[in-house]
Amino acid sequence: MSVLSKAAYFWRSAAGGLKHAPFVHFIAVSTIAIALFAAGLARGASHVVDNLLASLGGEVEVTIYLAPQLGQDEVHGVHTRVVELSHGEVTVVPPEAALLRLKHELGDLGEALSELPENPLPATLELRVPEARRSPAALQTLAKELRALPGVTGVDYGEAAVERLSAIARALSFGALVALVVVLGTTIVIVAATLQLAIYARREEIEIQKLVGATDRFVKTPFLLEGLLQGLLGALVALGGLWLFGRLLGPTLGSLFAFILGPGVNAPWVETRTVVELLAAGCALGLGGSFVAVGRFLRV
Amino acid sequence: MSGPFLGVLRGRGRLSGLALPVMIQFFHVYKAYPGDPPVLQDINLNVEKGEFVFLTGPSGAGKTTLLKLIFCGEKATKGQILVGGKNIARIRESAVPYLRRNIGVVFQDFKLLPHRSVADNVGFTLDVLGVPRAEGREKVHRMLKRVGLEHKANSLPLRLSGGEQQRVVIARALVNDPTILLADEPTGNLDPALTVEIMDLLTDINIRGTTVMVATHDATLLSRYQKRTVRLERGLIVSDEDGVKAARRMLV
Ligand SMILES: Nc1ncnc2c1ncn2[C@@H]1O[C@H](COP(=O)(O)OP(=O)(O)OP(=O)(O)O)[C@@H](O)[C@H]1O
Ligand SMILES: [Mg+2]
């Protein structure tokens, strides 16, 4: 009973603190919200890039151009070597089939191809790379090995796109990490400063509490709760912001990337996991700040 | 009401048949604020359980300081102080709150929270102890009735007269049935009729077993209520008369 009524008292006291100095707490809550919103955005962005990489990987198809003068047997020989090297699925696309496909892809323009005196396309091999070898590094090695094969004139696997995307992903995650550390530090300092003000505003109350027999913990708990409440509120605001962002800009971004991702690969900005993570991060920020404030400014 | 301290006090009260247990003891206590000459010097004092003691002397004699030493509001510079058998010069910082829960204090400067209602101010003590709200409200109401302020429960302290504020402070000190009551000028702002009422209240508390120390420089109070009187002058105890002696002196 006593524990319950104490808990009730703490909550009343903490909520009273928020009500008592709304502007100061508004600043702390917005700071937390902005920090978490930014973190959520960074997370969403890296999610999109990851998806992009994964879907690119899913389509990783290496095209191996063969020398035009190769005969059936030689093509077959290269085919065997490629299978040995890559352990993947290899299809032979004869020059006629390649021309047909190109015509089809060009549509109306394709008619012009019929005018050509002879087929300019070489025979190609299409290789579907197995999952295990789809990382940019593995692809690079594989491409090098393939290029070295006799009878192979060229190898193409969308190298530039894959490399650039993985570089972006690396930069994003590194930048996000640095930003996270800076933002978290700043946020904790700001939360601590607001709580210092709260402690100052209630120094009389604290003095009297001590005089009538309050323990240190009793005096400190409401301020820790106040920090926790700030963190939770900040996280809720950030989640609301992310949700709105996803609603308003998500479809636009989705269609922007749709040409590579294909339809349906629309990364959600607010997932259950994000909710849990942001709430936890908010609590940690609020509590961290209030611990700093209580430790430094509440000499009881 | 909780804490190990009270248990000790109660146990002693029951066990001792003959000599009354000592509630407050000072052994050669000195108190000096840094940089100043001593405010209290070589104080030796025994207050028994259930006693009523006046602490008197001119302004600046050290009455408030002596009371502060008892509830650990200040630390003695030298000497030993026992409260309820515990040496408070030696108790841990974390034990101080539990000591204070058994000591009601009427502060000379009131220490009321200006933005809280009278009822909240009185209930403050109970909040700290985690008394459930309904039960606390009930106790607060009863206490306010005893000091004649039940109709002001929802007022803010600054809207009250000096005497009314004083009674709020007394109500806050008593609401938790303390073992010891330390009252610093509890009738300083009261007219004679209210003074009688408050003194009756303090006497009543004392009869129910609470040890009471009242600091006052009001001579009429001393003559009307013939109780043990400890007189301080410039930090020294200059006289310590029991009630009978005090009464005799008044007659002469
Ligand atoms: N916090 C303090 N720092 C320095 N000196 C102090 C402090 N508190 C009290 N004093 C000094 O101690 C002396 C005794 O003060 P105290 O308040 O105990 O007197 P008192 O007997 O209660 O007086 P009064 O009847 O006016 O309330 C005074 O000279 C005062 O200046
Ligand atoms: Mg005084």
Side-chain angles (χ1 to χ4, degrees), chain B residues 6-105:
Chain B
L6 195 69
V8 171
L9 296 181
R10 290 223 167 116
R12 277 178 146 229
R14 273 199 300 277
L15 285 177
S16 57
L18 296 169
L20 279 168
V22 181
M23 183 60 84
I24 303 170
Q25 274 178 298
F26 280 64
F27 294 105
H28 304 290
V29 173
Y30 289 76
K31 173 67 189 174
Y33 292 102
D36 291 337
V39 173
L40 291 174
Q41 298 182 53
D42 197 25
I43 300 293
N44 291 287
L45 187 65
N46 273 4
V47 177
E48 284 163 2
K49 183 180 190 310
E51 240 191 314
F52 190 113
V53 181
F54 278 125
L55 192 62
T56 190
S59 181
K63 305 182 291 294
T64 300
T65 304
L66 193 149
L67 295 183
K68 276 185 180 166
L69 292 179
I70 297 173
F71 66 85
C72 291
E74 289 287 349
K75 268 201 169 335
T77 315
K78 224 166 83 180
Q80 310 291 325
I81 302 169
L82 268 61
V83 177
K86 286 213 163 145
N87 188 336
I88 60 173
R90 295 236 193 94
I91 60 173
R92 280 171 294 122
E93 198 64 37
S94 59
V96 170
Y98 300 98
L99 172 84
R100 288 183 177 162
R101 288 177 191 190
N102 296 294
I103 303 179
V105 183

Side-chain angles (χ1 to χ4, degrees), chain A residues 2-295:
Chain A
S2 164
V3 174
L4 265 185
S5 52
K6 251 183 199 164
Y9 174 84
F10 287 146
W11 278 111
R12 261 184 285 131
S13 181
L18 288 186
K19 256 192 288 177
H20 193 72
F23 181 67
V24 167
H25 288 104
F26 170 77
I27 290 176
V29 169
S30 356
T31 310
I32 295 176
I34 290 168
L36 293 180
F37 179 74
L41 272 192
R43 218 168 175 293
S46 77
H47 203 93
V48 167
V49 173
D50 280 352
N51 271 355
L52 219 54
L53 275 175
S55 62
L56 271 192
E59 283 171 9
V60 165
E61 215 173 49
V62 179
T63 311
I64 301 154
Y65 301 97
L66 303 180
Q69 68 278 11
L70 290 190
Q72 283 280 336
D73 287 353
E74 286 153 314
V75 169
H76 191 75
V78 178
H79 178 272
T80 322
R81 289 287 294 135
V82 171
V83 172
E84 276 170 19
L85 272 176
S86 67
H87 307 284
E89 252 176 73
V90 183
T91 346
V92 181
V93 182
E96 308 80 53
L99 188 66
L100 256 176
R101 203 195 282 173
L102 185 61
K103 260 188 197 162
H104 191 71
E105 278 174 13
L106 289 178
D108 288 346
L109 284 174
E111 296 305 317
L113 291 175
S114 319
E115 309 297 318
L116 291 173
E118 61 183 84
N119 188 349
L121 297 176
T124 55
L125 298 180
E126 279 179 5
L127 161 63
R128 275 189 72 78
V129 183
E131 297 274 358
R133 301 209 167 183
R134 281 182 195 168
S135 75
L139 279 176
Q140 214 170 17
T141 324
L142 182 61
K144 217 181 203 169
E145 287 168 353
L146 293 177
R147 275 194 195 102
L149 290 180
V152 171
T153 56
V155 174
D156 184 7
Y157 68 96
E159 192 170 1
V162 170
E163 299 256 295
R164 191 168 308 161
L165 267 176
S166 52
I168 289 175
R170 270 197 307 276
L172 263 182
S173 57
F174 180 72
L177 196 72
V178 171
L180 199 71
V181 171
V182 173
V183 166
L184 292 195
T186 321
T187 309
I188 284 182
V189 169
I190 289 177
V191 171
T194 61
L195 283 166
Q196 181 188 1
L197 287 177
I199 290 170
Y200 185 75
R202 283 155 80 177
R203 64 198 180 286
E204 253 187 326
E205 190 179 326
I206 293 170
E207 184 205 350
I208 298 171
Q209 279 179 335
K210 297 293 295 176
L211 285 174
V212 299
T215 55
D216 280 7
R217 220 178 331 151
F218 183 88
V219 175
K220 285 172 179 173
T221 307
F223 294 106
L224 296 181
L225 278 183
E226 231 173 284
L228 188 69
L229 275 181
Q230 284 182 350
L232 278 177
L233 282 176
L236 286 179
V237 172
L239 282 172
L242 281 177
W243 182 79
L244 261 185
F245 182 87
R247 277 318 280 284
L248 297 180
L249 290 182
T252 322
L253 287 180
S255 57
L256 261 179
F257 286 117
F259 72 99
I260 326 178
L261 294 178
V265 194
N266 196 350
W269 291 85
V270 184
E271 297 173 302
T272 324
R273 216 179 118 193
T274 324
V275 173
V276 173
E277 280 177 358
L278 283 196
L279 285 180
C283 292
L285 282 177
L287 268 182
S290 49
F291 262 110
V292 169
V294 162

